[in-house]
Amino acid sequence: MTLKLDHLVILVGDLDTAVEDYRALGFTVTPGGTHTDGATHNALVAFADGVYLELIAFLREAPEHRWWRHTAAGEGLVDFALLPDDTGQVIAQASRRGLNMTGPTDGGRQRPDGQQLRWQTGLPPSANLPFLCGDVTPRALRVPEGEAREHANGVVGIAGVTVAVEDIAVAREEYAALLGVAAPPIVNLVPLPLRVAVFTLENATITLVQPTMEAGVFHTRLMTRGAGPVGFATTVEGIPPADWPDPALAHGVFIAPAYAF
């Protein structure tokens, strides 16, 4: 079963401020709504390739929540999701390959227009891995379409996400089990103190990175939040301004443009 990149989760302190800042970066931002547990609310930046950014903020203290622990480290990119055709089936297949995930678990939110959305999630056994988010109601209700996917900065999609891991050999095998593919080679990026392995999905790449010295953004991510996504590359039509994106407006997120002509 093919898994695609579904969305990236950006934790912010104040949702209204983050919405205005991402609009200042040239993104079209759509209000999302409040999740059914009442702990969080969100806004979405949807792209032409179907992937989206989720700007999410807590409405109350929620120590039981998957992302609550990240509040101690502040704003930033904290997680990402893959899109299954059938969440339960993907979980079962991963289990047969030795990767025991939790779920499927029901989730949802209510949009500002009152529309109720429902989905099922599958949670991984390791912080190295993304979670699954499979729709029960039509995905078109969850992910904005039309003009919501058009952005003044020319971004049309997400080319790939980069993930910091402590042990790339272990993480590579976990991803291979989740995706049901052969494990790619591990490459030493000499002279950079990094070891990498790249998985190619239908719509994006996932690059695993293990730092081999105690310095740099990947080491910092591991020390502050543990394993997980560090940044992502956007597919851009044309060339954005040289100073784009302004880090002050990105709320702790590393965004790199990958050009599409």
Side-chain angles (χ1 to χ4, degrees):
M1 176 174 290
T2 301
L3 289 169
K4 298 179 181 179
L5 181 62
D6 184 70
H7 70 277
L8 299 99
V9 181
I10 299 171
L11 179 65
V12 300
D14 181 82
L15 187 60
D16 290 339
T17 299
V19 167
E20 292 306 311
D21 287 344
Y22 270 75
R23 285 174 176 161
L25 287 172
F27 292 109
T28 300
V29 185
T30 303
T34 301
H35 292 94
T36 53
D37 61 4
T40 53
H41 61 157
N42 69 3
L44 311 180
V45 179
F47 300 114
D49 66 354
V51 182
Y52 68 93
L53 308 180
E54 177 182 18
L55 306 176
I56 190 167
F58 282 94
L59 292 167
R60 58 171 174 82
E61 292 191 358
E64 76 288 351
H65 196 284
R66 173 175 171 83
W67 300 317
W68 177 253
R69 65 183 179 86
H70 290 291
T71 59
E75 299 179 312
L77 180 62
V78 297
D79 211 341
F80 67 108
L82 301 184
L83 176 66
D85 293 328
D86 184 313
T87 306
Q89 185 176 349
V90 172
I91 291 172
Q93 290 172 341
S95 178
R96 289 194 289 271
R97 302 184 195 110
L99 186 70
N100 294 317
M101 303 187 71
T102 301
T105 302
D106 293 333
R109 64 177 157 89
Q110 180 173 304
R111 296 192 325 197
D113 63 2
Q115 176 69 56
Q116 293 283 349
L117 312 181
R118 293 189 298 124
W119 56 74
Q120 290 187 322
T121 59
L123 299 183
S126 166
N128 291 323
L129 295 164
F131 66 103
L132 304 176
C133 185
D135 294 288
V136 176
T137 50
R139 190 170 187 269
L141 296 179
R142 176 167 65 97
V143 187
E145 297 183 333
E147 293 183 356
R149 299 189 180 193
E150 299 175 5
H151 305 281
N153 57 25
V155 176
V156 295
I158 302 297
V161 57
T162 305
V163 181
V165 298
E166 293 185 354
D167 187 327
I168 197 167
V170 171
R172 181 184 65 158
E173 295 306 316
E174 291 175 336
Y175 271 85
L178 174 61
L179 300 175
V181 299
I186 296 172
V187 178
N188 294 307
L189 289 187
V190 177
L192 299 177
L194 303 172
R195 305 179 71 205
V196 305
V198 181
F199 286 87
T200 301
L201 307 180
E202 180 180 324
N203 63 341
T205 59
I206 301 174
T207 302
L208 308 183
V209 181
Q210 177 191 335
T212 56
M213 66 179 295
E214 296 181 354
V217 296
F218 297 102
H219 175 71
T220 298
R221 162 73 200 212
L222 293 174
M223 293 300 100
T224 57
R225 300 188 192 274
V230 171
F232 56 89
T234 58
T235 304
V236 181
E237 290 184 338
I239 300 178
D243 59 350
W244 186 90
D246 181 349
L249 299 177
H251 290 254
V253 180
F254 295 98
I255 305 174
Y259 305 120
F261 295 101

